[in-house]
Amino acid sequence: TYYYIAYAVVGGTEIYGETKTLTTAAQEMPYVDLGLGLSVLWASYNLGAEAETEAGAWFGYGDATGMLLSDEVSDYPATDVAGTDNDAAFVLDLDGDRAVESRMPTAAEIEALIANTTQTAETVDGVSGIRFTGTNGNSVFLPVTGYRDGATATADGNGYYWGGTVDATNTDYAASLSFSGSEVVAGYSQRQLGFAIRPVREADYFRIDNSRLAWGDIENNGNLRIELYNTYGSTANAAPIVPSTVAFNNRMVLTFTISG
């Protein structure tokens, strides 16, 4: 929400009108399943963009407002921010009534994107960038963005994107994805730099990684059992589903008493 007021200077005196407000609409973000197994869906656009060719807004690491222009790394959070109140993609309402929310990608999710897609340098509507194509044929296009260091902007023809994970060995740096020409790199960048954000979110539908299924005569009682997730079983730490993406419409509760 923006606040503004009209005023006039008459004979050296400022005369103010009524304070007005203007509230911008929330960005509606489409997402793409790149066939990355149990990894996340990737947004079609950058945060603040309305087309895949737009760079969107620049954010310092952990600045959810995009308005912090300090060039001091100490002014930015030195902790992981993905999915927190310091994550612009998480704070802004991109998802409406969905059960899952958008957020910045983690360092591991950036690495998974690069490792499990084909990257191709491409020009779309005159804008250079990289297209990431998954094994299922779906793709997302990341345009060149340039970057900002404090208040100084640089348009160098490259792409720079934040991840939401701080470097464990040097907290002055945080996870980033960058590309120059056709070379794409998952690395770490100084936290005061202003980069674009390409949001991710968990899928809000049921996906299964068949390689992690537990099945067979699991209980040794002669019965076949197919186990998707059991917090007390072998699938507790390597489940074929993402438990947080499953929401039940109905539940059965059994109440009993033990005595003796």
Side-chain angles (χ1 to χ4, degrees), residues 23-137:
T23 301
T24 59
Q27 182 179 16
E28 296 183 5
M29 184 67 73
Y31 283 82
V32 177
D33 182 354
L34 295 173
L36 303 180
L38 294 179
S39 190
V40 291
L41 308 181
W42 284 80
S44 297
Y45 312 145
N46 289 352
L47 196 60
E50 294 183 346
E52 65 177 3
T53 55
E54 295 180 3
W58 282 325
F59 298 85
Y61 178 80
D63 171 26
T65 68
M67 302 298 291
L68 182 58
L69 302 181
S70 172
D71 58 4
E72 295 293 331
V73 69
S74 60
D75 289 334
Y76 299 83
T79 57
D80 294 349
V81 300
T84 73
D85 288 341
N86 290 321
D87 179 347
F90 180 78
V91 171
L92 296 175
D93 183 16
L94 304 180
D95 306 291
D97 296 329
R98 292 183 184 276
V100 292
E101 297 186 43
S102 298
R103 58 173 173 81
M104 295 167 66
T106 64
E109 288 161 351
I110 290 175
E111 293 170 359
L113 173 70
I114 296 175
N116 297 288
T117 62
T118 300
Q119 296 94 51
T120 308
E122 190 172 318
T123 300
V124 178
D125 296 334
V127 177
S128 300
I130 299 291
R131 184 166 297 281
F132 295 77
T133 303
T135 55
N136 60 3

Side-chain angles (χ1 to χ4, degrees), residues 38 206-216 218 225-230 234-236 238-241:
L38 294 179
F206 203 67
R207 291 192 293 172
I208 300 175
D209 182 349
N210 289 331
S211 67
R212 293 185 174 186
L213 277 175
W215 63 280
I218 294 175
R225 178 187 179 100
I226 299 177
E227 187 172 286
L228 295 178
Y229 176 68
N230 180 359
S234 63
T235 54
I241 64 170

Side-chain angles (χ1 to χ4, degrees), residues 143-216:
V144 297
T145 60
Y147 67 96
R148 175 173 51 77
D149 188 351
T152 303
T154 299
D156 61 357
N158 299 327
Y160 303 94
Y161 292 80
W162 275 129
T165 308
V166 77
D167 187 349
T169 60
N170 186 347
T171 57
D172 283 353
Y173 293 79
S176 62
L177 180 154
S178 61
F179 58 83
S180 176
S182 60
E183 182 180 4
V184 183
V185 176
Y188 291 87
S189 303
Q190 287 191 301
R191 291 184 285 109
Q192 85 281 1
L193 298 174
F195 288 174
I197 293 177
R198 179 59 65 97
V200 299
R201 68 169 172 82
E202 301 287 351
D204 56 354
Y205 57 85
F206 203 67
R207 291 192 293 172
I208 300 175
D209 182 349
N210 289 331
S211 67
R212 293 185 174 186
L213 277 175
W215 63 280

